[in-house]
Amino acid sequence: MLYIIGLGLSDETDITVKGLKAVQGSERVYLEAYTSILTVGKEKLEEFYGKSVTVADREMVESESDAILENADKVDVSFLVVGDPYGATTHTDLVIRARELGIPVQVIHNASIMNAAGACGLQLYNFGQTISIVFFTDTWRPDSFYDRVAENKKFGLHTLCLLDIKVKEQSIENLARGRKIYEPPRYMTVNQAVEQLLEIEENRGEGHCTPDTLAIGCARIGTPSQKIVAGSLAELVNVDFGGPLHSLVLIGSRMHHMEADFVREYAVDKTTFDDLVKKSIGPK
């Protein structure tokens, strides 16, 4: 059996009982280590699970999946994913490859940012399409996701923005020269995401991500140190959210007044927040 097991959002104790039993009964255990991170390293997982854990980077999962799936039709293998197993398309691809090889697959779910985003006070059924914001470079400043924001805004829906993670990435020069030299890990902050959104808005000029746009910055959701701050994009760009992982929610005009009351407690400035809410959804 290939078990694909969600680990949740915080530390080694967030695994479900079902997931823990599967791990402890597996001959090999892999930890996917590039789409998200926990607050603890693999050593903590090994201590808690009582099993050796192999860290699987992007190259291994996407190009060497045969090593992960080897003999999984005869022995149990666990593939651990931070958050929920279906939070990244790579894990869907692994399931397809296992099926093609006749390997039984069992997915064990857990919390992910896709549902834990409700901690910010907005109702999940009022969210539209989720987008990903990637790091700008000197020569690549993509803005195609802005169209998804515009579609959500059209219907008054909130937009969850997942922020870029760069783990075990090579520079263009090292990649071209075939040198296995990797850049230090980078995790996009709310501040960087806001700066990029405001730059795109300045270029596009469609009014969906202006300095007055209401948003909520979230950091380390599901952990003891989580931080949630609401305000305009102009306000959030200056907030210190601390360490990774960060995400951003753009608030839609269909925000209910109960949502507004909940979110208000996280506001940088409650008076400013109240004024922007009135402009967005009107008075109570």
Side-chain angles (χ1 to χ4, degrees), residues 76-109:
D76 289 340
V77 176
S78 286
F79 184 77
L80 311 180
V81 180
V82 178
D84 186 79
Y86 287 134
T89 55
T90 297
H91 314 132
T92 303
D93 182 63
L94 191 64
V95 171
I96 292 172
R97 292 184 60 80
R99 288 173 177 170
E100 290 172 348
L101 295 171
I103 297 170
V105 178
Q106 182 175 347
V107 175
I108 300 176
H109 295 281

Side-chain angles (χ1 to χ4, degrees):
M1 177 77 73
L2 172 66
Y3 290 99
I4 302 185
I5 302 168
L7 297 183
L9 294 168
S10 183
D11 58 30
E12 73 277 14
T13 64
D14 278 357
I15 192 170
T16 64
V17 174
K18 183 183 291 185
L20 181 59
K21 288 182 177 180
V23 168
Q24 292 175 337
S26 292
E27 184 168 297
R28 301 193 307 278
V29 181
Y30 298 91
L31 171 65
E32 184 267 277
Y34 61 89
T35 60
S36 190
I37 58 170
L38 290 173
T39 61
V40 297
K42 85 177 185 81
E43 294 78 16
K44 279 286 188 181
L45 301 185
E46 291 176 328
E47 180 183 349
F48 188 74
Y49 302 157
K51 301 287 291 189
S52 176
V53 175
T54 300
V55 175
D57 59 19
R58 181 187 296 273
E59 183 177 355
M60 182 178 190
V61 176
E62 295 184 351
S63 303
E64 304 170 21
S65 60
D66 289 345
I68 297 173
L69 298 174
E70 184 180 3
N71 294 330
D73 57 336
K74 300 180 178 66
V75 300
D76 289 340
V77 176
S78 286
F79 184 77
L80 311 180
V81 180
V82 178
D84 186 79
Y86 287 134
T89 55
T90 297
H91 314 132
T92 303
D93 182 63
L94 191 64
V95 171
I96 292 172
R97 292 184 60 80
R99 288 173 177 170
E100 290 172 348
L101 295 171
I103 297 170
V105 178
Q106 182 175 347
V107 175
I108 300 176
H109 295 281
N110 211 318
S112 78
I113 190 60
M114 300 291 285
N115 64 299
C120 72
L122 301 177
Q123 297 297 320
L124 293 178
Y125 54 75
N126 282 335
F127 279 75
Q129 302 168 88
T130 298
I131 66 166
S132 296
I133 301 178
V134 300
F135 281 111
F136 280 176
T137 69
D138 292 339
T139 58
W140 189 55
R141 308 177 88 76
D143 67 355
S144 59
F145 61 78
Y146 185 93
D147 296 327
R148 308 288 82 75
V149 175
E151 290 170 3
N152 288 345
K153 289 275 187 175
K154 178 181 177 181
F155 296 104
L157 299 173
H158 314 311
T159 303
L160 173 61
C161 309
L162 305 179
L163 309 188
D164 201 6
I165 297 173
K166 297 291 188 187
V167 178
K168 207 175 180 182
E169 297 278 338
Q170 292 174 274
S171 67
I172 294 175
E173 180 183 356
N174 286 329
L175 190 62
R177 293 176 181 272
R179 298 186 298 208
K180 296 289 186 179
I181 301 174
Y182 301 100
E183 301 293 295
R186 288 192 297 152
Y187 306 97
M188 183 180 285
T189 64
V190 169
N191 319 86
Q192 291 169 316
V194 170
E195 288 173 352
Q196 293 187 187
L197 284 171
L198 292 174
E199 179 181 321
I200 292 170
E201 181 59 48
E202 187 173 345
N203 295 331
R204 300 278 295 249
E206 296 177 31
H208 301 302
C209 298
T210 70
D212 284 340
T213 295
L214 274 175
I216 306 170
C218 303
R220 301 171 304 283
I221 293 297
T223 76
S225 67
Q226 76 173 24
K227 184 168 186 175
I228 302 172
V229 182
S232 67
L233 291 181
E235 289 175 320
L236 294 185
V237 77
N238 297 312
V239 174
D240 181 3
F241 284 90
L245 293 170
H246 293 189
S247 54
L248 178 69
V249 179
L250 303 174
I251 298 176
S253 61
R254 280 179 56 181
M255 178 169 60
H256 191 275
H257 289 292
M258 286 184 65
E259 291 178 291
D261 289 343
F262 194 115
V263 175
R264 187 177 187 271
E265 293 305 308
Y266 299 127
V268 174
D269 182 283
K270 290 182 171 57
T271 300
T272 301
F273 180 80
D274 292 341
D275 290 341
L276 291 174
V277 167
K278 288 176 183 177
K279 291 179 181 177
S280 177
I281 67 175
K284 286 187 179 180

